[in-house]
Amino acid sequence: MLGRSSSFRPENLGQDALRLIGNLCFAVFVLLVLVFTIIAATYNSSAAVIAAVAEESEPEVNECNYGVDDPIDCKLPEVFHLMMRHAIDFFKDIHFYKFGKPTTGAEDGKTCDMAWRFRPKDAKRAGFYKDYRRFELSRSANCTYSVVSVGEYHSGVNAKKKKKIKAGTSYVGDKGLVKEKEEKVVVPEIGEAVNDALPVVESEAKFRAGKYLIYNGGGDRCKSMNHFLWSFLCALGEAQYLNRTLVMDLTMCLSGMYTSSKQDEEGKDFRFYFDFEHLRDSASVLDQREFWTDWGKWQKKDKLSMYLVEDFRVTPMKMKYVEDTLIMRKFGEVEPDNYWYRVCEGETESVIQRPWHLIWKSRRLMEIVSAIASKMNWDFDSVHIVRGEKAKNTEMWPNLAADTSPDALLSSLRQKIDDGRNLYIATNEPDTSFFDPLKDKYTTHFLDDYKELWDENSEWYKETMELNNKVPVEFDGYMRVEVDTEVFLRGKKQIETFNDLTNDCKDGINTCRTAAS
């Protein structure tokens, strides 16, 4: 039989119960002390945090080490943040993408220059813009900064990015263009330094390895700019199809329809009107003067051959496997069979795609567009008013003159544009005082209101003169059309002559497109 332990003897039960109760009470006491200690520690910690927060929230006594009239340090974070906030509040009609750090402005030490990239809020045209402005600042006795005023477009010249202009290099490889294709959409950046230097071939070996296409002669010269582009893009499209470098003539003839003399004018530079940097960086092209210089040096030595084509009906498809270094298309003197664009007609039309995306308007001209829009704070409506010879030809446009008279315009625009708005008027009417009656309801703006943007003191004037061997360049009729059109397209509301102001057809009587049934 299992013996019972002495601790469970009846005579010991009372003592065991007392001992158990004592241990239990001691444990409870220890637990209470522990809980109290934790509570006390937590309370002290919280009190310390609260005290610290309270200490931080107390107004800090600003020890201002500057005098009110001392020069302002534009690199101070509070100055940078103030200028950013002020720009965002001041320019309500643009989206900011990036601010540059402020730099010192004028020597008086009271101004800072800052640049930024932006897009208009209601932009219908793809592109980024760059502006740099001069901010006049003030400082109070306790070193609180404030903005006194903001300068005009591109007034903050010390914030302008200085870009070194390097000579262009060719992109000629074993078989024409050798570049990685980028998937992202490329948009123009207006306001950046332009590098439209001519491309060159770096070595004899690279020239020998290249394949080239050149169009020679033809009747396209001195035609309208639309005609020129239609033909030029045919040549560029064929060069891309054949995987060859297009050898192009950058010297253009401007039609008399765009010149003040009303005569055709030779010697114009492609870069006056179009963004050659974008074309050069996106396609394989060479200036023909550079090409013929290299051809003369290396053609015989390297036994380079030329394939001559004198009939535009020889399609690109038939020349796909031509191995000669140079393909020359030579055009005759009989118009219209000597137009370049004839190459892209017929069966070729479905094969050659004109690369319109490679032709951008000159960024120097687009800089003028941006300046005009900025002077109206990008908050304006626009109307395109066609008059001129069309308004005089009542047989083809019987209603145009009456429909674009000041009284008729006031009646038409009243329903479309609110009173008091900035109204940009793009027009071929030479006498802008014709539109004076509109000033009673709108703040009117015309291209010639901004002549300082292309006069002899402007950046455009200086840069185009550099391109033109130090000879001043006229701001000609086609440049005016480009700028006028682009400003019009940046209006928040855009009113067209033939769509909105008159029932006459754009191309004359009975030429209006019929509505699709």
Side-chain angles (χ1 to χ4, degrees):
M1 187 175 195
L2 182 61
R4 289 184 293 184
S5 169
S6 62
S7 62
F8 284 94
R9 291 175 182 176
E11 63 267 26
N12 295 333
L13 289 178
Q15 296 177 3
D16 291 340
L18 289 173
R19 190 182 300 110
L20 181 60
I21 292 172
N23 291 339
L24 182 60
C25 289
F26 181 75
V28 171
F29 172 75
V30 171
L31 181 60
L32 288 172
V33 171
L34 182 60
V35 170
F36 179 78
T37 303
I38 294 173
I39 292 174
T42 303
Y43 173 80
N44 290 335
S45 176
S46 299
V49 171
I50 292 171
V53 171
E55 183 179 351
E56 289 181 0
S57 63
E58 289 180 1
E60 181 182 352
V61 178
N62 190 352
E63 295 183 6
C64 187
N65 298 320
Y66 300 100
V68 173
D69 295 324
D70 287 346
I72 292 174
D73 183 357
C74 299
K75 296 181 180 179
L76 290 174
E78 54 263 42
V79 173
F80 184 29
H81 296 154
L82 170 68
M83 292 171 66
M84 284 194 294
R85 289 195 303 269
H86 188 86
I88 292 170
D89 292 340
F90 189 79
F91 301 104
K92 298 183 182 299
D93 287 281
I94 64 176
H95 285 299
F96 291 91
Y97 282 80
K98 184 180 180 181
F99 287 93
K101 293 294 180 64
T103 60
T104 302
E107 294 181 359
D108 60 8
K110 298 298 176 63
T111 60
C112 296
D113 295 355
M114 185 171 70
W116 56 77
R117 295 180 73 218
F118 69 95
R119 290 188 69 184
K121 282 185 178 179
D122 299 322
K124 299 177 178 66
R125 314 285 285 181
F128 285 107
Y129 299 84
K130 185 177 182 180
D131 197 356
Y132 33 91
R133 304 267 184 149
R134 177 154 293 177
F135 290 71
E136 182 183 355
L137 305 174
S138 67
R139 179 173 50 222
S140 66
N142 66 349
C143 281
T144 300
Y145 296 90
S146 59
V147 175
V148 177
S149 64
V150 181
E152 293 290 326
Y153 179 78
H154 280 195
S155 55
V157 293
N158 292 335
K160 182 179 180 181
K161 184 178 179 181
K162 306 295 191 297
K163 179 188 280 188
K164 293 182 179 180
I165 305 301
K166 299 179 180 178
T169 56
S170 71
Y171 296 99
V172 180
D174 293 337
K175 284 192 176 181
L177 182 64
V178 180
K179 287 174 70 73
E180 292 183 6
K181 292 184 178 179
E182 297 181 358
E183 296 298 327
K184 66 180 181 180
V185 176
V186 179
V187 295
E189 294 189 4
I190 311 305
E192 298 289 353
V194 179
N195 176 11
D196 50 12
L198 299 180
V200 296
V201 180
E202 296 171 335
S203 67
E204 178 183 352
K206 286 195 173 183
F207 185 85
R208 182 174 61 244
K211 302 292 184 183
Y212 308 92
L213 172 69
I214 188 170
Y215 279 36
N216 181 262
D220 302 272
R221 207 160 185 83
C222 305
K223 295 295 191 295
S224 73
M225 199 65 80
N226 288 338
H227 181 121
F228 164 77
L229 288 175
W230 193 241
S231 286
F232 174 74
L233 285 170
C234 172
L236 187 56
E238 181 179 34
Q240 292 189 320
Y241 174 80
L242 297 174
N243 202 22
R244 288 174 174 265
T245 296
L246 180 66
V247 180
M248 59 179 289
D249 184 0
L250 271 77
T251 303
M252 300 174 59
C253 173
L254 187 66
S255 168
M257 68 176 66
Y258 307 118
T259 64
S260 56
S261 66
K262 305 303 179 185
Q263 302 295 317
D264 297 343
E265 294 183 4
E266 287 280 2
K268 301 294 184 177
D269 195 306
F270 180 93
R271 294 170 291 182
F272 294 166
Y273 309 99
F274 305 105
D275 187 345
F276 183 68
E277 181 179 0
H278 172 61
L279 175 61
R280 182 200 67 204
D281 292 347
S282 305
S284 185
V285 295
L286 278 177
D287 174 44
Q288 71 170 17
R289 288 171 295 187
E290 175 69 25
F291 174 81
W292 287 126
T293 297
D294 292 341
W295 182 264
K297 287 190 296 185
W298 299 318
Q299 185 261 329
K300 290 183 178 179
K301 177 183 176 183
D302 296 326
K303 298 179 180 180
L304 306 178
S305 58
M306 180 181 71
Y307 186 86
L308 181 63
V309 181
E310 297 185 273
D311 189 340
F312 69 85
R313 286 166 292 193
V314 177
T315 66
M317 295 79 81
K318 294 178 180 178
M319 299 190 297
K320 183 72 173 176
Y321 302 104
V322 171
E323 290 297 328
D324 297 80
T325 301
L326 173 64
I327 294 177
M328 174 186 284
R329 280 194 179 273
K330 191 171 182 179
F331 296 83
E333 297 180 357
V334 181
E335 299 184 34
D337 284 349
N338 62 353
Y339 293 160
W340 292 5
Y341 66 73
R342 300 300 302 274
V343 171
C344 294
E345 293 180 337
E347 61 179 307
T348 305
E349 190 172 0
S350 61
V351 177
I352 300 299
Q353 303 299 317
R354 285 180 171 85
W356 287 100
H357 62 284
L358 298 180
I359 297 296
W360 290 354
K361 291 175 182 174
S362 159
R363 283 198 283 138
R364 293 186 178 90
L365 291 177
M366 294 303 296
E367 182 75 359
I368 294 176
V369 172
S370 180
I372 294 173
S374 292
K375 287 177 181 290
M376 293 185 282
N377 288 325
W378 295 89
D379 184 20
F380 64 96
D381 299 316
S382 54
V383 58
H384 182 206
I385 301 175
V386 176
R387 288 183 58 81
E389 294 302 319
K390 287 188 176 182
K392 297 176 183 177
N393 188 340
T394 56
E395 290 187 7
M396 294 294 288
W397 295 275
N399 305 299
L400 182 59
D403 290 341
T404 56
S405 68
D407 289 342
L409 289 171
L410 282 170
S411 178
S412 299
L413 296 178
R414 183 179 293 117
Q415 310 299 322
K416 299 176 174 68
I417 298 177
D418 295 337
D419 289 0
R421 290 282 294 162
N422 282 320
L423 181 64
Y424 184 83
I425 300 177
T427 182
N428 62 346
E429 174 61 49
D431 181 12
T432 57
S433 65
F434 176 82
F435 301 104
D436 280 354
L438 275 67
K439 293 180 179 180
D440 292 339
K441 286 193 173 294
Y442 309 106
T443 302
T444 58
H445 304 262
F446 300 90
L447 179 61
D448 280 337
D449 294 343
Y450 304 96
K451 287 182 177 179
E452 74 276 6
L453 297 174
W454 61 83
D455 68 15
E456 61 185 11
N457 297 314
S458 67
E459 287 189 27
W460 177 88
Y461 184 90
K462 295 170 186 175
E463 291 185 9
T464 53
M465 191 165 67
E466 284 294 317
L467 284 178
N468 202 38
N469 297 319
K470 309 295 184 181
V471 178
V473 175
E474 178 192 7
F475 191 75
D476 60 49
Y478 189 71
M479 296 172 186
R480 295 178 64 89
V481 169
E482 284 188 289
V483 173
D484 222 15
T485 301
E486 290 296 328
V487 177
F488 166 80
L489 291 171
R490 280 152 182 78
K492 290 187 174 180
K493 291 182 180 178
Q494 301 164 11
I495 310 301
E496 281 278 12
T497 299
F498 294 104
N499 292 328
D500 304 305
L501 300 177
T502 182
N503 290 325
D504 283 355
C505 304
K506 182 177 181 180
D507 296 318
I509 195 167
N510 297 326
T511 62
C512 293
R513 295 180 181 178
T514 57
S517 56

